Amino acid sequence: MLSLNELWFVLIAVLFVGFFFLEGFDFGVGMQSQLLPANEKQRRVMINSIGPFWDANEVWLITGAGAMFAAFPNWYATLFSGFYVPFVFALFGLILRGVAFEYRGKAQSAGWRKTWDLSILIGSFLPPFLLAIVFASFIKGLPIDGDMQMHASFFGDIVNVYTVLAGLTVILLCNVHGLLFTALRTFGELQDRARKRAQVLLLPTGALLLAFVIMTYFETDIFEVRGILLWAIVLLGIVAFVLSGYFCKKKRDGWAFGMTGAVLGLSVISVFVGLFPRVMVSSLGEAFNLTITNSASGHYSLKVMTIVALTLLPFVLGYQIWSYFIFHKRLSDKETLEY
Amino acid sequence: MDVLMLSRMQFASTTIFHFFFVPVTIGLSFIIAIMETMYVRKGDEVYKRMAKFWGKLFLVNFAIGVVTGILQEFQFGMNWSDYSRFVGDIFGAPLAIEALLAFFLESTFIGIWIFGWEKVSKKIHLLSIWFVAIGTTLSAFWILAANSFMQHPVGYTINNGRAEMNDFLSLITNGQVLVEFPHTVLGAFATGAFLIIGISAFKLLKKQDTDFFKRSFQIAVIVGVISSIGVAFAGHWQAQYLVKTQPMKMAASEGLWEDSADPAPWTVVASIDPENKMSSHELKVPYVLSFLSYSKFSGSVKGMNTLQSEYEQAYGPGDYIPPVRTTFWSFRIMIAAGMAMIFITLWAIYLMWRKKMDQPNTKFMRICLTGLLLPPIANTAGWTMTEFGRQPWTVFGLLTTDKSVSPNITSGQVLFSLITFNTAYAALLIVLIYLFVKVIKKGPNGVDEESEHSTDPYNTKE
């Protein structure tokens, strides 16, 4: 049986897998909506394709952070105060993005739209890029002292070759994932463009992924710690990635989309598997690691949270899946374009 | 400036800015849900246009509420990490439940509501706005349950140098949240109502879409009168709870240095001198403070000097007196704004009852338009009193504000975030006002123009 601490570690991992799978595609659509479309109408169609979903997708992140706060307060406290400046940028991105979707369609002038389009681009780039940096530095290790305080330098501890590589890899993955979502939700010229662009991007994405795996082998201890299990995840990731290329070529957009989502999900899983039972690795010595024991809430609190979460989760998943079902049809030519 | 001061400014500006939008979201979502219910039941298209028109304003406002809400959640860890470590066991739970129970609900169903007009049945569409409304209210409950723990900690033990939960039920039935929740939510209903009342009054003055705005006005007035009277009653219960649990806040909001007479008079205005610990030029109404505090016309209320020495005995040496002037005046501003709201809605009811709405008098309509500002003033003042009045505590009696701040962040970092976010707030406010004016100018008939129905969406050469 899982202990409650382990269960909450798994639940938080699930929330972040869900977040990267779901918001991964709307981040990708956000970026590509500024790079791919041939005209304004295609751009509107693209942005509207994620219209009913992006807000709820973002809540996966908010719930993930909330669950960290509730189940592992020391993890939450060390993480958010330690990554102060990156989080300012990430939050700034989320602010821009959230209002940009809502506001860009509310006035007609070209300057107005250009401003919000730029906001969508920045706002869709910054959060996944910075979160990938955060996740990569979890396993690389950060200067966390005996008081669980993190004193990281912005350049060096947080921003370095390894973490930036992680950031760029995730950005490219999100772009491909988003393009495949576009292919899934539209038809005609836009769909063709999206598929083609996805195919072009797959190659550099694969190269970055490979480089990231190799660098992870040398920069972190997670292959040492987990051995065969981690290799299995990497292998699954490679299979999923190759399959996404195959399905994309065969124009089976749904399957291709599922596979890039799987690659994103497996990347997050590999971080959590590599971390366990730690939640943050200290570069100052093993004794200073934050773990699922020393950063956790009390047993009572975890028990209450578990009951609440397991009661609510089926409903949440139920109506979210239902909302995807409501909007499952490709955007038709009679569509009302809100954004 | 030091990290503590800057972090307090960051917290205050984010919270105040966030709380301009939250009450509008809660209030408008309910009123829109009522309008759409009338549409589904009566089939009258005007109610659908109402839901759509007020829905436009709702969405413009909702977006800022959401994005500043994310900031709210993150800043506990960013700026107040020692606080987060100390209370995470208790404070984190309601926040996580808020996300799981409320945020998912409102974010999913707002998507269905915006994009589902032609995709789901009328009833499902109606259900989705009700879910949004319920979601926002549930969200308010959980964040207020968390806040109530800070005002009046219950259901915990101190273990390993931090507060740990030992009774979840008493956390969510905290007497504080039972008075704070109705007060806040009724205030939010009034906020939504006054927004509609004010804008409708403006359009009625301009004689545009008279029928549409007269009906909107009437719906909002009914919601407004119930909620603004309700908010006063809830406030009264809250004051009584305050005297019991945070007497210092009550004394500070009265500028009361020495114990009051019995029965206690209520100070209307006073000149407060915190340096010399005295108030002068006081204008007092007899009996009222006793009534406020105990619901009867007798009983003395403790003053700050008495409480200061009591607190020193209980918690050790220190200054336990909050910023008195801020607390005193914000309390009065809140009450004055609240009274004005009751007055306006009662007057409007009288006009409706006497069927004088057909030629509404311009002076009253102008008052209604200005009345739009009353709820934000009352809301801000109310929270200022609540949060300033709790100082120097973050968690009353357990943890002080200076021990809550993150020890590992620099003032440069906080200054950077303070400037970044406040610039963003200012820009958002300008954009919001611009969009509000635009939507209002266009009126209910212009609502559908922007969202285009295209015939050839993908290949058109522009």
Side-chain angles (χ1 to χ4, degrees), chain A residues 68 72-79 148 290 294-296, chain B residues 85 162:
Chain A
M68 267 183 184
F72 303 106
N74 283 318
W75 186 8
Y76 171 80
T78 305
L79 166 67
M148 296 187 171
L290 295 190
N294 69 11
S295 65
Chain B
R85 287 177 210 280
R162 66 174 188 184

Side-chain angles (χ1 to χ4, degrees), chain A residues 160-232:
Chain A
N160 53 55
V161 178
Y162 176 65
T163 56
V164 170
L165 179 62
L168 292 176
T169 310
V170 168
I171 288 300
L172 269 187
L173 259 174
C174 286
N175 272 286
V176 178
H177 195 41
L179 285 166
L180 292 171
F181 182 79
T182 306
L184 195 59
R185 289 273 286 140
T186 62
F187 52 81
E189 193 199 325
L190 185 58
Q191 186 187 32
D192 290 338
R193 289 175 75 95
R195 263 198 218 114
K196 256 180 223 151
R197 177 71 60 89
Q199 268 177 341
V200 172
L201 285 183
L202 269 167
L203 203 66
T205 310
L208 278 187
L209 266 169
L210 204 63
F212 180 67
V213 171
I214 293 167
M215 221 175 154
T216 302
Y217 183 83
F218 290 108
E219 290 279 333
T220 75
D221 65 357
I222 66 172
F223 281 93
E224 249 169 82
V225 177
R226 288 288 167 260
I228 188 87
L229 179 59
L230 209 70
W231 285 111

Side-chain angles (χ1 to χ4, degrees), chain A residues 238-257:
Chain A
I238 293 173
V239 171
F241 187 79
V242 172
L243 280 177
S244 73
Y246 170 79
F247 287 128
C248 183
K249 200 160 192 177
K250 292 275 171 196
K251 298 190 176 177
R252 301 189 57 180
D253 306 315
W255 282 97
F257 171 73

Side-chain angles (χ1 to χ4, degrees), chain B residues 109-225:
Chain B
F109 284 94
I110 195 81
I112 296 176
W113 192 75
I114 301 172
F115 291 90
W117 281 103
E118 284 131 38
K119 289 237 173 5
V120 294
S121 72
K122 268 188 197 174
K123 283 199 174 139
I124 299 279
H125 197 265
L126 174 64
L127 198 66
S128 64
I129 188 70
W130 276 109
F131 275 138
V132 172
I134 291 165
T136 58
T137 314
L138 285 173
S139 161
F141 176 81
W142 289 100
I143 190 66
L144 291 177
N147 180 268
S148 293
F149 178 81
M150 300 167 77
Q151 312 289 344
H152 180 224
V154 292
Y156 71 98
T157 50
I158 299 290
N159 207 357
N160 306 321
R162 66 174 188 184
E164 289 187 359
M165 195 199 298
N166 65 7
D167 188 352
F168 181 65
L169 203 65
S170 70
L171 181 71
I172 60 174
T173 56
N174 189 346
Q176 176 69 28
V177 74
L178 298 185
V179 291
E180 201 170 291
F181 177 68
H183 190 61
T184 312
V185 167
L186 287 168
F189 289 170
T191 308
F194 268 80
L195 190 68
I196 295 183
I197 291 172
I199 293 168
S200 300
F202 175 73
K203 289 299 234 185
L204 290 173
L205 277 170
K206 292 222 155 193
K207 297 195 172 24
Q208 289 167 349
D209 299 292
T210 321
D211 181 56
F212 179 93
F213 285 108
K214 210 172 79 187
R215 290 212 242 175
S216 299
F217 186 90
Q218 287 172 340
I219 294 172
V221 162
I222 292 166
V223 175
V225 75

Side-chain angles (χ1 to χ4, degrees), chain A residues 253-275:
Chain A
D253 306 315
W255 282 97
F257 171 73
M259 288 301 132
T260 47
V263 176
L264 275 164
L266 286 164
S267 312
V268 178
I269 288 172
S270 68
V271 169
F272 276 83
V273 166
L275 274 178

Side-chain angles (χ1 to χ4, degrees), chain B residues 200-460:
Chain B
S200 300
F202 175 73
K203 289 299 234 185
L204 290 173
L205 277 170
K206 292 222 155 193
K207 297 195 172 24
Q208 289 167 349
D209 299 292
T210 321
D211 181 56
F212 179 93
F213 285 108
K214 210 172 79 187
R215 290 212 242 175
S216 299
F217 186 90
Q218 287 172 340
I219 294 172
V221 162
I222 292 166
V223 175
V225 75
I226 297 169
S227 52
S228 50
I229 292 173
V231 91
F233 276 100
H236 178 57
W237 300 326
Q238 205 175 351
Q240 293 179 60
Y241 197 80
L242 190 62
V243 179
K244 274 188 276 176
T245 55
Q246 297 180 74
M248 183 63 97
K249 190 192 285 181
M250 187 49 144
S253 65
E254 284 305 312
L256 196 64
W257 296 97
E258 302 300 334
D259 296 356
S260 79
D262 180 3
W266 188 67
T267 312
V268 184
V269 288
S271 161
I272 293 165
D273 178 3
E275 267 88 65
N276 299 311
K277 303 200 170 198
M278 54 184 284
S279 304
S280 52
H281 304 95
E282 293 169 292
L283 175 63
K284 294 188 176 191
V285 190
Y287 298 109
V288 173
L289 182 57
S290 286
F291 180 75
L292 268 181
S293 316
Y294 310 112
S295 279
K296 56 179 187 179
F297 294 101
S298 63
S300 152
V301 176
K302 275 186 190 170
M304 283 179 276
N305 292 337
T306 315
L307 290 162
Q308 169 69 22
S309 55
E310 280 181 17
Y311 283 16
E312 274 179 16
Q313 278 186 354
Y315 308 116
D319 182 5
Y320 296 99
I321 298 178
V324 183
R325 275 201 197 100
T326 313
T327 316
F328 180 87
W329 285 109
S330 53
F331 187 39
R332 267 137 204 85
I333 291 169
M334 174 183 77
I335 288 181
M339 290 295 165
M341 283 155 68
I342 293 176
F343 174 72
I344 289 176
T345 45
L346 283 178
W347 191 353
I349 290 281
Y350 169 78
L351 288 182
M352 277 157 58
W353 180 55
R354 296 289 302 269
K355 306 224 183 307
K356 290 196 172 166
M357 279 299 293
D358 288 329
Q359 299 96 22
N361 80 54
T362 20
K363 201 185 269 170
F364 179 62
M365 284 296 146
R366 285 204 186 111
I367 292 174
C368 284
L369 176 58
T370 349
L372 212 147
L373 293 172
L374 290 171
I377 291 171
N379 294 335
T380 307
W383 275 112
T384 305
M385 176 204 167
T386 307
E387 302 298 291
F388 272 82
R390 193 189 52 221
Q391 299 303 323
W393 301 105
T394 341
V395 185
F396 186 82
L398 295 181
L399 185 74
T400 51
T401 310
D402 57 343
K403 294 205 172 73
S404 304
V405 77
S406 302
N408 56 331
I409 55 175
T410 64
S411 45
Q413 288 174 332
V414 188
L415 194 64
F416 165 65
S417 67
L418 193 63
I419 292 169
T420 309
F421 292 136
N422 280 284
T423 313
Y425 300 156
L428 289 179
L429 201 61
I430 292 167
V431 170
L432 177 108
I433 292 169
Y434 168 75
L435 284 176
F436 260 51
V437 169
K438 202 172 149 67
V439 173
I440 294 165
K441 257 191 191 160
K442 268 198 170 172
N445 296 319
V447 163
D448 271 331
E449 274 169 27
E450 293 152 30
S451 39
E452 69 190 75
H453 290 266
S454 51
T455 45
D456 182 18
Y458 308 140
N459 295 308
T460 311

